Amino acid sequence: MPNIKSAKKRVKVAEKKNLRNRMIKSGVKTAVKKSVAAVAADPASAQAQFSAAVSAIDKAAAKGVIHKNTASRKKSRLAAIIQKAAK
């Protein structure tokens, strides 16, 4: 446990940021899973879930929670799944 006041503050700030980042990452995973499930259930209406997932991914990348290349990869893979189901 830190003894210095600034180190104590850094621990508190890190905990807050960690919680925020976990919430955002969890939201991205949920959105992606919902999108994939929508493709399996009804490929025609999967576009709405896809756009919600892309939005969540872009927000996470903009906040620095995930890297921009990771966001791009996730969007690309999700788009490929939807494209394959549309055929």
Side-chain angles (χ1 to χ4, degrees):
M1 203 58 209
N3 295 322
I4 299 168
K5 189 175 182 180
S6 61
K8 289 178 184 177
K9 181 180 178 182
R10 296 308 316 158
V11 168
K12 287 171 77 175
V13 169
E15 286 175 354
K16 282 184 187 176
K17 288 188 175 189
N18 181 268
L19 177 63
R20 173 181 162 266
N21 290 346
R22 278 188 298 166
M23 288 171 52
I24 293 169
K25 278 186 182 180
S26 176
V28 167
K29 289 178 188 177
T30 302
V32 170
K33 285 179 186 177
K34 282 183 179 179
S35 184
V36 171
V39 168
D42 185 21
S45 66
Q47 191 62 35
Q49 289 293 335
F50 173 71
S51 61
V54 168
S55 176
I57 292 168
D58 285 338
K59 285 179 186 175
K63 291 177 182 176
V65 176
I66 60 174
H67 195 271
K68 64 179 183 123
N69 291 353
T70 304
S72 180
R73 183 179 66 244
K74 285 182 182 293
K75 291 189 293 187
S76 177
R77 288 180 179 172
L78 194 56
I81 290 169
I82 290 176
Q83 195 74 22
K84 188 175 179 182
K87 289 182 182 177

